[in-house]
Amino acid sequence: MYTLGKKSWLVLGGHMPRLSTGFEPAFTSSDQLAILNTSPEDAELALTIYFTKGEPVGPFEFRVKARRIRKVRFNDLIDPQALPLAQDYACHIQSSQLVVVQFSRLNSGQRELALLGTMAFPADRQER
Amino acid sequence: MYTLGKKSWLVLGGHMPRLSTGFEPAFTSSDQLAILNTSPEDAELALTIYFTKGEPVGPFEFRVKARRIRKVRFNDLIDPQALPLAQDYACHIQSSQLVVVQFSRLNSGQRELALLGTMAFPADRQER
Amino acid sequence: MYTLGKKSWLVLGGHMPRLSTGFEPAFTSSDQLAILNTSPEDAELALTIYFTKGEPVGPFEFRVKARRIRKVRFNDLIDPQALPLAQDYACHIQSSQLVVVQFSRLNSGQRELALLGTMAFPADRQER
Amino acid sequence: MYTLGKKSWLVLGGHMPRLSTGFEPAFTSSDQLAILNTSPEDAELALTIYFTKGEPVGPFEFRVKARRIRKVRFNDLIDPQALPLAQDYACHIQSSQLVVVQFSRLNSGQRELALLGTMAFPADRQER
């Protein structure tokens, strides 16, 4: 029995623009994560969001089923609180199972799109 | 004698859009893999595709010749089955030889293009 | 107590175009770094900038507070000197704490934008 | 004394389009490498180019000076031979010093640009 990935990932460069153009919902402005869980067991994930000002918030918790992928829009995170618009943020993802994480952003604020995602940074926890 | 790469790779963020604009075939919507085999022996590859709903499908098998690159369009995968359109997917690539894998997507659905690929995640198999 | 990241990063492909279009300040041409410091202590950073011609310049020093992200525009680096426009450059980032670094570039010189950043290369120092 | 990087890198997804639009020379179609040599000694580099059909060609040799970056356009490689247009290719970069390599492509064939580069794959040589 084998599994693939890491249990801790970091994403940078998050930013939810206030403006949006294009046809909903495919082209609305949105940051999102794609998470792949190839393991035979459901993965419990917890996100912590870091900002330029103020303490980090979280954990935002959700599940990625065994042998499935899941897309999570930062727009849709509302528990324990909604994320502020027009703010820069970063995200630490912790998982109970080995997963692989990709971050992508659609910015339709100036009509051009960046459609390809960027692989998150696999961050092994280290004792200080 | 040396070789370069990994035997196991993961790709996220796959999505084949229903819509397509532009001149065929250069600008049609298409996800694809580029695989480099620098070794002196042919590489036998097997893809497993993961979805948000339903069990993974595969293996999709093909060969990358010694000292060659090969591009594989997900649109062209039909055995053991064609991939569904307008669905998110991820892909696990396993190879008999050390290879390097890159994923790229052309999305001409809103006329803008993301032309640069993203390096796949090199996933060493680990015992649980 | 845990921390996440590396203390040394490298960024390539820097270029500040002379031309700029679009609405200021959101869409002006600009290279920038996003730095995440998840540690409980402020991080002291020092940048060294490499060029195609002439000796490297620096250090450009700044702080990223504990549990915060910070965005730094290369346009804004003026001490010990301003960076020249229309020149290619690379950047070595050294930090007193473990951090994660992402590089992004907006090039509005031809109205199209590349909005997604590219993860910097985590460069562990090695003795020669 | 310290140095940073790897001595062996792989780039995938190379493709030089036949068509080009926009103002020369800034926006002509072009694949290029950016190489950073932070070491105190000049680096001697050798490229080998792989194709979908036919044997690899090379070595294409050039120097990156100590403490400098250098950009190399694949269009400009002519010794031992020019590279064919409208062909997919991959590239293996070997260096006498530790360097960091980034690949970027401008494709102005359909007026949209992908301006951000993708980090090459650091490929440590392994005995088979």
Side-chain angles (χ1 to χ4, degrees):
Chain A
M1 188 62 71
Y2 297 89
T3 52
L4 298 157
K6 300 275 182 185
K7 289 190 173 181
S8 180
W9 294 84
L10 288 165
V11 162
L12 276 93
H15 182 82
M16 278 181 292
R18 215 178 286 280
L19 279 172
S20 180
T21 65
F23 302 98
E24 298 275 351
F27 294 112
T28 193
S29 299
S30 176
D31 290 6
Q32 65 180 14
L33 297 175
I35 300 127
L36 170 61
N37 177 15
T38 64
S39 84
E41 290 176 45
D42 293 357
E44 307 296 333
L45 276 79
L47 309 186
T48 306
I49 312 288
Y50 291 84
F51 301 99
T52 54
K53 292 177 182 169
E55 287 296 313
V57 299
F60 298 89
E61 298 176 328
F62 57 94
R63 177 176 297 175
V64 181
K65 289 184 183 165
R67 292 182 297 276
R68 298 290 186 279
I69 53 171
R70 182 167 174 183
K71 287 195 159 180
V72 175
R73 288 183 167 225
F74 285 91
N75 278 343
D76 296 338
L77 298 177
I78 55 171
D79 182 11
Q81 65 175 87
L83 296 186
L85 296 182
Q87 275 231 20
D88 298 323
Y89 65 90
C91 178
H92 181 204
I93 300 109
Q94 291 171 272
S95 171
S96 65
Q97 303 292 324
L98 299 178
V99 294
V100 182
V101 174
Q102 192 191 44
F103 175 68
S104 60
R105 178 152 45 123
L106 301 186
N107 188 327
S108 52
Q110 211 192 31
R111 233 195 42 183
E112 283 76 22
L113 289 175
L115 288 159
L116 270 180
T118 180
M119 199 62 71
F121 180 72
D124 297 310
R125 289 189 146 212
Q126 297 165 19
E127 292 210 39
R128 300 191 69 212
Chain B
M1 187 65 68
Y2 295 89
T3 51
L4 298 157
K6 300 275 183 185
K7 289 190 174 182
S8 181
W9 295 83
L10 287 165
V11 163
L12 276 93
H15 183 82
M16 278 181 294
R18 213 177 287 279
L19 278 172
S20 181
T21 65
F23 301 99
E24 299 274 351
F27 295 111
T28 192
S29 299
S30 176
D31 291 5
Q32 64 181 16
L33 298 174
I35 300 127
L36 169 61
N37 177 15
T38 64
S39 85
E41 289 176 43
D42 292 358
E44 307 295 333
L45 276 79
L47 310 185
T48 306
I49 312 288
Y50 292 83
F51 301 99
T52 54
K53 292 178 182 168
E55 287 296 314
V57 299
F60 298 89
E61 298 176 329
F62 57 94
R63 177 176 297 175
V64 181
K65 289 185 183 165
R67 292 182 296 276
R68 297 289 186 280
I69 53 171
R70 181 166 175 183
K71 287 194 158 180
V72 174
R73 290 183 166 225
F74 285 91
N75 277 344
D76 296 339
L77 298 177
I78 54 171
D79 180 14
Q81 65 176 90
L83 295 185
L85 296 181
Q87 275 232 21
D88 299 323
Y89 65 90
C91 178
H92 180 204
I93 300 108
Q94 290 170 274
S95 170
S96 65
Q97 304 291 323
L98 299 178
V99 294
V100 182
V101 174
Q102 193 191 43
F103 175 68
S104 60
R105 177 152 46 124
L106 302 186
N107 188 328
S108 52
Q110 212 192 30
R111 234 198 39 186
E112 284 75 23
L113 289 176
L115 288 159
L116 271 179
T118 181
M119 198 63 70
F121 181 72
D124 296 311
R125 289 188 147 214
Q126 298 164 20
E127 292 210 39
R128 302 190 70 210
Chain C
M1 187 63 70
Y2 296 89
T3 51
L4 299 157
K6 300 275 182 182
K7 291 190 173 180
S8 180
W9 294 83
L10 288 165
V11 163
L12 276 94
H15 184 82
M16 279 183 292
R18 214 178 287 279
L19 279 171
S20 180
T21 66
F23 301 98
E24 299 275 349
F27 294 112
T28 193
S29 299
S30 177
D31 290 5
Q32 66 181 13
L33 298 175
I35 300 127
L36 170 61
N37 176 15
T38 64
S39 85
E41 290 175 45
D42 293 357
E44 308 294 333
L45 276 79
L47 309 186
T48 305
I49 312 288
Y50 291 84
F51 301 99
T52 53
K53 292 179 183 170
E55 287 295 313
V57 298
F60 298 89
E61 298 176 330
F62 57 95
R63 178 176 296 174
V64 181
K65 289 185 183 164
R67 292 182 296 277
R68 298 290 186 279
I69 51 171
R70 180 166 176 183
K71 286 196 158 179
V72 174
R73 287 184 169 225
F74 284 91
N75 277 345
D76 296 339
L77 298 177
I78 55 171
D79 180 14
Q81 66 176 88
L83 295 186
L85 296 181
Q87 275 231 19
D88 299 322
Y89 64 91
C91 178
H92 181 205
I93 299 109
Q94 291 171 274
S95 170
S96 65
Q97 304 291 324
L98 299 178
V99 293
V100 182
V101 174
Q102 192 190 45
F103 175 69
S104 60
R105 178 151 45 123
L106 301 186
N107 188 327
S108 52
Q110 211 191 31
R111 234 194 41 184
E112 284 75 23
L113 290 174
L115 289 160
L116 270 180
T118 180
M119 199 63 71
F121 180 73
D124 297 311
R125 288 190 147 212
Q126 297 164 20
E127 294 209 39
R128 301 190 70 209
Chain D
M1 186 65 68
Y2 295 90
T3 50
L4 298 157
K6 300 276 181 183
K7 290 190 174 180
S8 180
W9 295 83
L10 288 165
V11 163
L12 276 94
H15 183 81
M16 280 183 291
R18 214 178 287 278
L19 278 172
S20 180
T21 66
F23 301 99
E24 299 276 350
F27 294 111
T28 192
S29 298
S30 177
D31 290 5
Q32 65 180 13
L33 298 174
I35 301 128
L36 169 61
N37 176 16
T38 65
S39 84
E41 290 175 44
D42 292 358
E44 308 295 332
L45 276 78
L47 309 185
T48 305
I49 312 288
Y50 292 83
F51 301 99
T52 54
K53 291 178 184 169
E55 286 296 313
V57 299
F60 298 89
E61 298 177 328
F62 56 95
R63 177 176 297 175
V64 181
K65 289 185 183 166
R67 292 182 297 276
R68 297 290 185 279
I69 52 171
R70 180 167 177 183
K71 287 195 158 180
V72 174
R73 288 182 168 226
F74 285 90
N75 277 344
D76 296 338
L77 298 177
I78 55 171
D79 180 14
Q81 66 175 90
L83 296 186
L85 296 181
Q87 276 233 19
D88 299 323
Y89 65 90
C91 177
H92 180 206
I93 300 109
Q94 291 170 273
S95 170
S96 65
Q97 304 291 323
L98 298 178
V99 294
V100 182
V101 174
Q102 192 190 43
F103 175 68
S104 60
R105 177 152 46 124
L106 301 186
N107 188 327
S108 52
Q110 211 191 31
R111 235 196 39 184
E112 284 76 23
L113 290 174
L115 288 159
L116 271 179
T118 180
M119 198 63 70
F121 180 73
D124 296 310
R125 288 188 148 212
Q126 297 164 22
E127 293 209 40
R128 302 189 69 209

